[in-house]
Amino acid sequence: MRTERTLTRLDRLFARLDREPERPAHIDVPRMSRHRVVLLAATLAFYLAIVWAVVTTSWLVRLDWQVMFFRPYQQWPQIHAFADYYVVLGQRGPTAVMVAAWLGWRSWRQHTLRPLLALGAALLLLNVTVGAAKYGMGRLGPHYATVIGSNEMGLGGDIFPSGHTANAVVTWGILAYLASTPRARRWLSALSAVTALGVGLTTVYLGTHWLSDVLLGWAAGLLILLALPWCEPLIARSEAALLELRDRRRARYGRPAPRPAPAPAPVPAAGPPVALGPRVLADAEAPARDAVPAAARPPRAPVYLAPGPHLARSERTPVTPTGSRRPPHADRLPRGTSTARPLTGG
């Protein structure tokens, strides 16, 4: 009894990728252009300026304390319930699941692993850079502040920069980064920037972050998106390595790649046309048909189709039907035959 192995989700994904192993030509991979380098340098300068302003306890720290004493959640309590739900757009777990589901569908449709690999690279850079900055500067949040007017740096906190804001910039901005058209990329870039800034201001409203935390988190996420084209060669090599691993796995389980169909046997040159009947012609072609393998034979036309090329109605030869089209009846006589009918009445 022959049993077939049940396909896993990974097998079905790779089977989908086998339909079109090469990347479609219309996918535009962002490159590290001069304009992007200038934006990256300006964002890095803004990042360092925010850090310097907080470390030196400048006017930005005084603004942080003023906003904290203003207590926005007490000034506008009617939007507190909405803010509790809206801030979820910056949490790493729910947003990563939603964006990964969408990019997984994109990978399925475009027959490439690049969208998922780009998301993984962006989240890895986010965890490394933002996590290192958080624990390296050790700033305490508004709820745990100790001295009024101080910058609260180096006290073991993990609030600077804002992880919610940086995560919102990266997870929603990756959709704009992977957009197929320049117009979609511009609209998604603006939408992700507004969404991320709104998430950061929501954390300020709830009192969980300083205003400077939000500004630094927004810059940290933007730096990751701007530097992501440098990771494209690594993403391409990772995709090729995964596909090669897939091939080795298939070979290990005894599933070789499909072989191409054999070429049909050469047909000898035909001699002068001879008028043969259909039965004689079929008997004459039988040895040549048996010599060709069954896999190389052309598909045979269905029996209900007439042989020969299909002609339009105007090109067909009109055929006059013979006889009558009416079905025969036992009580019906041919035309021209007259019979005496019985007279009725008196």
Side-chain angles (χ1 to χ4, degrees), residues 218-230:
W218 195 81
L222 187 59
L223 281 175
I224 294 173
L225 290 180
L226 291 174
L228 202 56
W230 280 332

PDB file of all heavy atoms in Angstrom, residues 218-230:
ATOM      1  N   TRP A 218      11.147  58.753  17.377  1.00  0.00           N
ATOM      2  CA  TRP A 218      10.773  58.990  15.979  1.00  0.00           C
ATOM      3  C   TRP A 218      12.020  59.041  15.096  1.00  0.00           C
ATOM      4  O   TRP A 218      12.038  58.476  14.001  1.00  0.00           O
ATOM      5  CB  TRP A 218      10.004  60.301  15.895  1.00  0.00           C
ATOM      6  CG  TRP A 218       9.261  60.504  14.619  1.00  0.00           C
ATOM      7  CD1 TRP A 218       8.047  59.995  14.284  1.00  0.00           C
ATOM      8  CD2 TRP A 218       9.705  61.277  13.510  1.00  0.00           C
ATOM      9  NE1 TRP A 218       7.692  60.405  13.027  1.00  0.00           N
ATOM     10  CE2 TRP A 218       8.694  61.196  12.522  1.00  0.00           C
ATOM     11  CE3 TRP A 218      10.835  62.035  13.245  1.00  0.00           C
ATOM     12  CZ2 TRP A 218       8.791  61.836  11.302  1.00  0.00           C
ATOM     13  CZ3 TRP A 218      10.938  62.674  12.018  1.00  0.00           C
ATOM     14  CH2 TRP A 218       9.915  62.572  11.062  1.00  0.00           C
ATOM     15  N   ALA A 219      13.079  59.690  15.576  1.00  0.00           N
ATOM     16  CA  ALA A 219      14.326  59.747  14.813  1.00  0.00           C
ATOM     17  C   ALA A 219      15.003  58.378  14.740  1.00  0.00           C
ATOM     18  O   ALA A 219      15.571  58.013  13.699  1.00  0.00           O
ATOM     19  CB  ALA A 219      15.274  60.772  15.436  1.00  0.00           C
ATOM     20  N   ALA A 220      14.941  57.592  15.812  1.00  0.00           N
ATOM     21  CA  ALA A 220      15.571  56.267  15.810  1.00  0.00           C
ATOM     22  C   ALA A 220      14.901  55.338  14.804  1.00  0.00           C
ATOM     23  O   ALA A 220      15.582  54.596  14.076  1.00  0.00           O
ATOM     24  CB  ALA A 220      15.513  55.671  17.210  1.00  0.00           C
ATOM     25  N   GLY A 221      13.572  55.351  14.731  1.00  0.00           N
ATOM     26  CA  GLY A 221      12.885  54.515  13.745  1.00  0.00           C
ATOM     27  C   GLY A 221      13.153  54.963  12.324  1.00  0.00           C
ATOM     28  O   GLY A 221      13.319  54.138  11.413  1.00  0.00           O
ATOM     29  N   LEU A 222      13.218  56.275  12.106  1.00  0.00           N
ATOM     30  CA  LEU A 222      13.488  56.785  10.768  1.00  0.00           C
ATOM     31  C   LEU A 222      14.901  56.428  10.318  1.00  0.00           C
ATOM     32  O   LEU A 222      15.132  56.152   9.125  1.00  0.00           O
ATOM     33  CB  LEU A 222      13.282  58.295  10.741  1.00  0.00           C
ATOM     34  CG  LEU A 222      13.357  58.981   9.380  1.00  0.00           C
ATOM     35  CD1 LEU A 222      12.321  58.400   8.430  1.00  0.00           C
ATOM     36  CD2 LEU A 222      13.152  60.483   9.527  1.00  0.00           C
ATOM     37  N   LEU A 223      15.859  56.417  11.222  1.00  0.00           N
ATOM     38  CA  LEU A 223      17.220  56.016  10.863  1.00  0.00           C
ATOM     39  C   LEU A 223      17.260  54.573  10.355  1.00  0.00           C
ATOM     40  O   LEU A 223      17.982  54.258   9.405  1.00  0.00           O
ATOM     41  CB  LEU A 223      18.146  56.167  12.079  1.00  0.00           C
ATOM     42  CG  LEU A 223      18.631  57.575  12.413  1.00  0.00           C
ATOM     43  CD1 LEU A 223      19.428  57.568  13.712  1.00  0.00           C
ATOM     44  CD2 LEU A 223      19.455  58.151  11.278  1.00  0.00           C
ATOM     45  N   ILE A 224      16.475  53.692  10.972  1.00  0.00           N
ATOM     46  CA  ILE A 224      16.459  52.292  10.550  1.00  0.00           C
ATOM     47  C   ILE A 224      15.885  52.161   9.140  1.00  0.00           C
ATOM     48  O   ILE A 224      16.425  51.439   8.290  1.00  0.00           O
ATOM     49  CB  ILE A 224      15.663  51.455  11.558  1.00  0.00           C
ATOM     50  CG1 ILE A 224      16.392  51.431  12.907  1.00  0.00           C
ATOM     51  CG2 ILE A 224      15.446  50.034  11.048  1.00  0.00           C
ATOM     52  CD1 ILE A 224      15.617  50.767  14.008  1.00  0.00           C
ATOM     53  N   LEU A 225      14.796  52.868   8.859  1.00  0.00           N
ATOM     54  CA  LEU A 225      14.200  52.786   7.528  1.00  0.00           C
ATOM     55  C   LEU A 225      15.112  53.369   6.452  1.00  0.00           C
ATOM     56  O   LEU A 225      15.189  52.852   5.339  1.00  0.00           O
ATOM     57  CB  LEU A 225      12.847  53.511   7.517  1.00  0.00           C
ATOM     58  CG  LEU A 225      11.725  52.846   8.303  1.00  0.00           C
ATOM     59  CD1 LEU A 225      10.459  53.677   8.202  1.00  0.00           C
ATOM     60  CD2 LEU A 225      11.465  51.431   7.797  1.00  0.00           C
ATOM     61  N   LEU A 226      15.800  54.455   6.785  1.00  0.00           N
ATOM     62  CA  LEU A 226      16.691  55.067   5.803  1.00  0.00           C
ATOM     63  C   LEU A 226      17.931  54.213   5.543  1.00  0.00           C
ATOM     64  O   LEU A 226      18.477  54.240   4.434  1.00  0.00           O
ATOM     65  CB  LEU A 226      17.108  56.460   6.276  1.00  0.00           C
ATOM     66  CG  LEU A 226      16.008  57.525   6.294  1.00  0.00           C
ATOM     67  CD1 LEU A 226      16.520  58.819   6.911  1.00  0.00           C
ATOM     68  CD2 LEU A 226      15.486  57.784   4.884  1.00  0.00           C
ATOM     69  N   ALA A 227      18.381  53.473   6.536  1.00  0.00           N
ATOM     70  CA  ALA A 227      19.573  52.630   6.366  1.00  0.00           C
ATOM     71  C   ALA A 227      19.258  51.234   5.858  1.00  0.00           C
ATOM     72  O   ALA A 227      20.177  50.448   5.604  1.00  0.00           O
ATOM     73  CB  ALA A 227      20.323  52.525   7.697  1.00  0.00           C
ATOM     74  N   LEU A 228      17.977  50.922   5.680  1.00  0.00           N
ATOM     75  CA  LEU A 228      17.599  49.563   5.287  1.00  0.00           C
ATOM     76  C   LEU A 228      18.115  49.161   3.900  1.00  0.00           C
ATOM     77  O   LEU A 228      18.387  47.972   3.679  1.00  0.00           O
ATOM     78  CB  LEU A 228      16.079  49.414   5.358  1.00  0.00           C
ATOM     79  CG  LEU A 228      15.535  47.988   5.485  1.00  0.00           C
ATOM     80  CD1 LEU A 228      16.143  47.292   6.694  1.00  0.00           C
ATOM     81  CD2 LEU A 228      14.019  48.008   5.596  1.00  0.00           C
ATOM     82  N   PRO A 229      18.262  50.059   2.909  1.00  0.00           N
ATOM     83  CA  PRO A 229      18.831  49.607   1.618  1.00  0.00           C
ATOM     84  C   PRO A 229      20.224  49.014   1.729  1.00  0.00           C
ATOM     85  O   PRO A 229      20.617  48.222   0.860  1.00  0.00           O
ATOM     86  CB  PRO A 229      18.837  50.890   0.778  1.00  0.00           C
ATOM     87  CG  PRO A 229      17.707  51.688   1.317  1.00  0.00           C
ATOM     88  CD  PRO A 229      17.706  51.419   2.797  1.00  0.00           C
ATOM     89  N   TRP A 230      20.991  49.367   2.758  1.00  0.00           N
ATOM     90  CA  TRP A 230      22.291  48.735   2.949  1.00  0.00           C
ATOM     91  C   TRP A 230      22.160  47.251   3.276  1.00  0.00           C
ATOM     92  O   TRP A 230      23.117  46.490   3.103  1.00  0.00           O
ATOM     93  CB  TRP A 230      23.065  49.455   4.057  1.00  0.00           C
ATOM     94  CG  TRP A 230      23.714  50.720   3.591  1.00  0.00           C
ATOM     95  CD1 TRP A 230      24.141  51.010   2.326  1.00  0.00           C
ATOM     96  CD2 TRP A 230      24.026  51.874   4.382  1.00  0.00           C
ATOM     97  NE1 TRP A 230      24.693  52.262   2.276  1.00  0.00           N
ATOM     98  CE2 TRP A 230      24.645  52.832   3.523  1.00  0.00           C
ATOM     99  CE3 TRP A 230      23.846  52.211   5.717  1.00  0.00           C
ATOM    100  CZ2 TRP A 230      25.085  54.071   3.957  1.00  0.00           C
ATOM    101  CZ3 TRP A 230      24.282  53.448   6.158  1.00  0.00           C
ATOM    102  CH2 TRP A 230      24.898  54.375   5.296  1.00  0.00           C
TER     103      TRP A 230
END
